[in-house]
Amino acid sequence: MLSLYHDARTPVHAVPAGAKLLVLAVTGTVLFFVPSMVWLAVALAGVLGLSGLARIPWRTTARQVLGLAPFLLLIMVAQLLFTGWQSAIIVGERLLTLVLLANLVTLTTRTSAMIETIERALKPLRPLGVRPERVGLLVAMTIRFIPVIREQAELVRAAQRARGIERSTVFLVPLLIRTLRMADGVGEALDARGLD
Amino acid sequence: MPRVRSRDLAQIALFAAIMVVLGFFPLIQLPGAFAPFTSQTLGVILAGAILGAKRGFLAILLFDVMVFAGLPVLPGGRGGLSVIMGPTGGFVIAYPIGAVVIGLLTERVYRHYNLPLALVINFLGGAIVLYAIGIPWMAAAAHISLAKAFTTSVAFLPGDIVKTVIGSLAAVAVRKAYPMIPARA
């Protein structure tokens, strides 16, 4: 499975994942308290500038905005009707800026770097029995299991179709039981490889 | 806290994978269905009701970690921080909480678990909890009134009811065939 990461060597890519997340959190909070159309436009332009600096293709950005478009439109129209055009623009700018910035962080940070950051953030929870080093292993296992589950689903469906049954609940149960059996097998394999 | 065993790790990863597959390749095709019928809340229900509170929570949390880390595991190949920051991010964040609520309640009644109990529990965790977190989040992120966010979200209620029914039927059947949650004394 592909990651959303967009590979390039730019100053934006070089910023450590933790720092980018911090910037995103701070910006998100600050934007919320900025009621000025002009300053929000500056922020939006800034994020678009950073996207350019990170050499994110316009199409990638456009695709992300398109996903948000129905929502954005609905919200802006509602604001327009109830509170006026200024507030419609402010709300639109704010949401767009935040989503584009969040998207920029995702596009310029490798999945592995993000997972390392999560592991580091979880370290203080070690005394509670949390094992941060397991996160990466679990993500890798899940990615590996996705095609396996899909294949199992297709097998069950084919078997049922052959017998002339095609109902989702009937279908789901054998898939779940197969999956649970598989977990037993994988667990034994992990033990055999000495995973503590 | 007891050590997480290897089998538990495998179950957690496998259910996180089921969650991804449900979003990508919806297993349920309803006749004349409401258009974009994603099945991911079904994954939340199944994880909580079959694996119980702890493993169910961790499975769905793992799914959220993958979203956060920028893997396109949400329907339509979406993922990443922009989803979390967007109007529907609250629902994604609420998923593991929904699973833990379902898990805790299911564990409590596991001895006499049946379809009516499953329906109530799964609707509570798979719909009410998700709405309780997702709707205020949407109101805040999109800067709209709670009422408006509520109206927008209620459009998904019919689908969520269908998912609750399917998830409950499956959970009850799996409990008979392959009980996972140790009975409580």
Side-chain angles (χ1 to χ4, degrees):
Chain A
M1 185 171 42
L2 284 168
S3 162
L4 294 169
Y5 178 69
H6 177 78
D7 200 10
R9 274 164 200 268
T10 74
V12 185
H13 285 76
V15 178
K20 277 188 251 191
L21 288 172
L22 196 68
V23 168
L24 180 62
V26 171
T27 313
T29 315
V30 171
L31 282 182
F32 208 76
F33 293 105
V34 175
S36 145
M37 212 187 300
V38 178
W39 282 111
L40 284 170
V42 171
L44 182 56
V47 171
L48 287 174
L50 282 177
S51 288
L53 185 64
R55 276 190 254 132
I56 306 294
W58 285 108
R59 285 172 70 193
T60 312
T61 308
R63 205 181 315 135
Q64 203 70 23
V65 176
L66 232 55
L68 185 73
F71 245 106
L72 202 62
L73 213 66
L74 196 79
I75 291 158
M76 288 181 70
V77 168
Q79 291 287 330
L80 194 66
L81 292 177
F82 295 114
T83 33
W85 64 273
Q86 294 96 332
S87 120
I89 290 182
I90 286 178
V91 168
E93 283 175 333
R94 194 180 275 152
L95 197 58
L96 201 56
T97 308
L98 200 53
V99 167
L100 285 177
L101 184 62
N103 191 43
L104 183 61
V105 174
T106 297
L107 290 173
T108 60
T109 314
R110 277 180 203 282
T111 302
S112 55
M114 206 67 103
I115 290 168
E116 274 166 31
T117 310
I118 294 168
E119 287 178 356
R120 217 171 314 128
L122 288 177
K123 283 216 172 107
L125 298 180
R126 211 187 278 274
L128 297 174
V130 175
R131 304 237 190 147
E133 65 278 5
R134 286 281 161 81
V135 178
L137 171 72
L138 280 168
V139 170
M141 273 167 76
T142 305
I143 293 172
R144 175 66 193 93
F145 284 149
I146 291 167
V148 177
I149 297 278
R150 209 187 148 187
E151 199 177 302
Q152 291 287 329
E154 273 156 18
L155 272 175
V156 175
R157 189 171 282 184
Q160 294 197 329
R161 202 169 286 152
R163 283 181 282 149
I165 5 177
E166 210 168 333
R167 283 220 316 273
S168 42
T169 37
V170 190
F171 165 74
L172 207 49
V173 174
L175 175 66
L176 287 165
I177 291 171
R178 272 163 181 255
T179 305
L180 291 170
R181 291 230 170 89
M182 210 189 304
D184 290 344
V186 174
E188 276 165 28
L190 285 175
D191 280 334
R193 279 163 183 74
L195 176 96
D196 157 42
Chain B
M1 187 178 275
R3 200 163 79 84
V4 182
R5 289 176 305 156
S6 303
R7 194 183 65 143
D8 297 339
L9 286 183
Q11 286 169 354
I12 290 163
L14 276 161
F15 269 70
I18 288 182
M19 182 83 174
V20 176
V21 172
L22 283 175
F24 257 76
F25 318 98
L27 302 178
I28 306 159
Q29 265 119 22
L30 290 175
F34 341 89
F37 189 81
T38 83
S39 318
Q40 259 160 355
T41 54
L42 183 58
V44 173
I45 291 173
L46 293 172
I50 292 171
L51 297 183
K54 188 183 173 192
R55 286 169 294 178
F57 171 72
L58 290 174
I60 306 302
L61 188 66
L62 178 59
F63 173 82
D64 272 9
V65 164
M66 292 172 72
V67 174
F68 193 85
L71 291 161
V73 290
L74 284 163
R78 288 172 3 109
L81 293 163
S82 58
V83 178
I84 307 273
M85 286 295 185
T88 54
F91 288 97
V92 177
I93 289 175
Y95 283 162
I97 301 165
V100 85
V101 168
I102 292 171
L104 285 172
L105 293 172
T106 305
E107 285 173 14
R108 237 155 219 281
V109 300
Y110 205 62
R111 267 159 175 268
H112 14 256
Y113 192 61
N114 56 24
L115 188 59
L117 281 172
L119 286 170
V120 172
I121 292 173
N122 293 337
F123 188 71
L124 187 71
I128 308 278
V129 169
L130 302 189
Y131 287 166
I133 298 167
I135 291 174
W137 183 284
M138 187 188 290
H143 210 78
I144 53 178
S145 72
L146 270 176
K148 191 134 200 68
F150 184 79
T151 325
T152 312
S153 308
V154 161
F156 295 96
L157 200 56
D160 285 330
I161 290 172
V162 173
K163 280 176 258 182
T164 303
V165 173
I166 292 173
S168 302
L169 286 168
V172 170
V174 171
R175 178 194 177 272
K176 281 201 191 110
Y178 211 93
M180 294 300 308
I181 302 171
R184 290 203 167 173

